[in-house]
Amino acid sequence: MEQEYDVVVIGGGPGGYVAAIRAAQLGRSVALVEKERPGGVCLNWGCIPTKAMLRSAEVLETVRHAEEYGVKAPEALLDYPAVVARRDGIVRGLTDGIARLLDANGVTVLTGHARFLDAHTVAVHDTVPPPGDENGPGYAAPPADGPPRTTIKGRNIVIATGSRPVAPRIDGGDLPGVITSDGAFGLPEVPRRVVVVGGSAIGAEWAGLLHSFGAEVTVVEIMSTLVPAEDVEIARMLTRAFDKRGIRVLTGHTVTGIRSVLGGLSVDVEAVGGGEAGEVPADVVLFGIGRLPNTEELDLDRAGVAVDVRGYILVDDQLRTDVAHIHAIGDVTGRRQLAHVASHQGLVAAGVICGHEESIDYSVIPAATFTHPEVASVGLTEARAADEGHAVVAARFPFAALGRAHTYGATEGMAKVVADSRTGRVLGMHIIGPGASELIAAPALALTHDATLASVAATIHAHPTLGEATLEATMSALGLPVHTAPRRRRSHRP
């Protein structure tokens, strides 16, 4: 007889395992089907391993500049195998920890690939091990045919199968040495020359990381700045910072083809609009653009679950699909493809399944890009706020005017606040500089609770800290700067 559960979760990434644990905490019987290791892309091939390697790069850069801090150190040398070993050890420890959490909460974990048989029944198939070749860690796949190992029933089902990077569809995109961001984890050594295609968060992080490790890096980005989703001032500052570090940045350019040549690869680039064209030599070409949802092999049609033309599952603000008892969370929903969004969606979906009146608000989602300097933001950009009809006031505070930044040895960057001058409500905060990814949490809380410039300015911040930058930017927006000279505030009125 098929085992029946209150909740069946398909996918054990940052959305799936969180949803499973929360549903179990709320008293439901829960099964989680995961075809590989718990933690999903974020933990195994994304957020955590890249940050582990970025930390190694940060330590390397610090030692290289140790004399600036009055410390004499021997020559800093990179031990790339040791970096990889440390990274993999961290990932193993965290995946093991998630497995223990699932067990401690009474979640039944089934290893295999899930396919719908009907709207309540899921077949669990054995999977084919991933190849693990130079093109990346690979993903376990279901066999082409054959009966399932087992079937289970779910009164409610949560789909959390995530996404995968898009392979390039250009001439030469299948050549050896052309990889996706996942494939970068399989590099046996640091390449001498790398072309990174795409200057958004993933591409920018890999570009900075490989440059710190000694690679000659060129970034090709079709938009006019790196991280084009960020506030334009922040994006321009990061673009200048990359150029200053010696990372070649070709914004407003696209890759038209890749050719194999003696000694490596040649990447054909062209200015947007058919302008200037050229070639960039490379040993590795890393594509950091776009992802596709993992929905094709779920047999969603058997469950009656609708998808859009790209394969993303359609959901409402309570994460319900068009089949009331089936929810979808994370990258497969096509909303914000961020691990923390998937986790929050998992909490909401589990709560809704358990009878709570919950929904998700996408207006306050912090984002961080772990470049050097870091970039983080929450809420509206200055341009977006003006487009939405706000009477915008924007002000900024440079880290160069902050005592803690000087003691830290990192004065590059600024904090920028965007607010509505009529109501005083804070609409967005944008940071580029040391610790930006940590600093953004407080502004996110402020936006969640509709804080005003006055209420933020009235909040005492510890001194000396990097967090004072957001306070000072807020006071400047009020026309009351203390640690910078008065300047005309930028404002827009509808």
Side-chain angles (χ1 to χ4, degrees):
M1 183 176 178
E2 292 171 329
Q3 181 69 44
E4 186 172 13
Y5 297 88
D6 294 324
V7 183
V8 171
V9 180
I10 303 174
Y17 83 76
V18 168
I21 289 173
R22 177 52 55 87
Q25 290 172 341
L26 295 174
R28 271 44 177 191
S29 60
V30 182
L32 173 68
V33 184
E34 168 56 48
K35 65 180 181 179
E36 294 175 300
R37 296 176 290 182
V41 169
C42 177
L43 178 49
N44 290 286
W45 305 291
C47 320
I48 298 301
T50 53
K51 303 320 170 275
M53 296 177 75
L54 283 163
R55 176 57 179 159
S56 294
E58 183 181 53
V59 170
L60 180 62
E61 293 282 7
T62 299
V63 175
R64 283 172 176 166
H65 297 89
E67 288 197 22
E68 297 175 12
Y69 300 84
V71 177
K72 292 187 177 181
E75 182 182 2
L77 298 174
L78 175 69
D79 184 347
Y80 188 72
V83 170
V84 171
R86 176 179 182 271
R87 175 198 76 194
D88 293 346
I90 290 170
V91 170
R92 281 194 301 273
L94 291 174
T95 54
D96 289 347
I98 291 173
R100 288 193 295 270
L101 282 173
L102 290 164
D103 181 65
N105 283 277
V107 176
T108 299
V109 178
L110 302 174
T111 302
H113 180 89
R115 279 179 164 151
F116 281 96
L117 296 179
D118 58 46
H120 285 280
T121 310
V122 174
V124 181
H125 294 261
D126 289 324
T127 57
V128 177
D133 60 17
E134 69 169 1
N135 290 317
Y139 297 98
D145 49 36
R149 186 175 73 247
T150 188
T151 59
I152 56 176
K153 283 188 174 291
R155 297 180 184 90
N156 298 276
I157 297 176
V158 179
I159 303 168
T161 47
S163 65
R164 63 190 184 281
V166 177
R169 294 185 178 181
I170 60 173
D171 289 342
D174 57 350
L175 288 171
V178 180
I179 60 176
T180 65
S181 54
D182 285 3
F185 292 110
L187 291 172
E189 60 187 7
V190 179
R192 184 168 64 91
R193 302 165 302 177
V194 181
V195 171
V196 177
V197 184
S200 58
I202 293 174
E205 287 181 4
W206 274 109
L209 169 65
L210 292 170
H211 173 77
S212 292
F213 284 167
E216 179 185 307
V217 179
T218 300
V219 183
V220 182
E221 166 56 47
I222 194 169
M223 303 302 287
S224 60
T225 64
L226 295 173
V227 290
E230 299 291 343
D231 186 271
V232 67
E233 283 188 275
I234 302 294
R236 286 172 180 164
M237 288 191 77
L238 183 64
T239 304
R240 290 195 297 269
F242 267 42
D243 183 66
K244 183 178 178 181
R245 288 179 62 192
I247 301 172
R248 186 184 181 194
V249 180
L250 297 177
T251 52
H253 282 72
T254 185
V255 171
T256 58
I258 305 170
R259 292 172 288 111
S260 181
V261 297
L262 183 64
L265 300 168
S266 181
V267 182
D268 296 323
V269 298
E270 183 177 280
V272 176
E276 178 187 2
E279 302 174 8
V280 182
D283 299 297
V284 167
V285 179
L286 191 161
F287 276 78
I289 50 175
R291 300 185 71 86
L292 290 173
N294 293 322
T295 53
E296 304 100 319
E297 296 172 335
L298 292 173
D299 292 339
L300 293 175
D301 55 325
R302 294 182 177 179
V305 175
V307 298
D308 67 14
V309 293
R310 299 172 298 168
Y312 289 104
I313 299 174
L314 305 173
V315 295
D316 62 18
D317 287 342
Q318 292 190 312
L319 290 315
R320 286 192 180 94
T321 68
D322 52 344
V323 181
H325 67 276
I326 300 179
H327 292 68
I329 60 176
D331 285 5
V332 294
T333 65
R335 301 296 178 92
R336 296 290 297 276
Q337 293 185 326
L338 297 167
H340 45 283
V341 173
S343 294
H344 192 75
Q345 287 177 323
L347 296 175
V348 170
V352 170
I353 287 170
C354 296
H356 299 181
E357 190 58 40
E358 298 185 37
S359 61
I360 187 165
D361 177 8
Y362 295 99
S363 65
V364 182
I365 298 177
T369 302
F370 296 83
T371 45
H372 180 74
E374 286 188 355
V375 172
S377 62
V378 65
L380 301 180
T381 65
E382 184 178 352
R384 180 67 180 274
D387 289 344
E388 292 190 6
H390 292 281
V392 177
V393 58
R396 55 210 51 77
F397 185 81
F399 279 98
L402 197 65
R404 178 58 174 155
H406 281 271
T407 66
Y408 199 72
T411 58
E412 188 175 25
M414 68 175 180
K416 175 179 178 178
V417 65
V418 177
D420 189 304
S421 63
R422 292 173 298 198
T423 64
R425 187 165 67 91
V426 178
L427 302 174
M429 181 68 75
H430 309 273
I431 306 171
I432 179 170
S437 59
E438 305 293 339
L439 297 178
I440 203 63
L445 181 63
L447 265 68
T448 298
H449 294 281
D450 292 325
T452 64
L453 292 170
S455 62
V456 174
T459 302
I460 299 174
H461 289 57
H463 173 78
T465 62
L466 297 173
E468 290 177 281
T470 58
L471 170 66
E472 295 278 359
T474 301
M475 290 194 295
S476 292
L478 289 169
L480 300 170
V482 174
H483 291 99
T484 55
R487 56 178 296 182
R488 186 179 184 84
R489 297 176 298 163
R490 181 179 299 171
S491 61
H492 306 274
R493 294 189 179 275

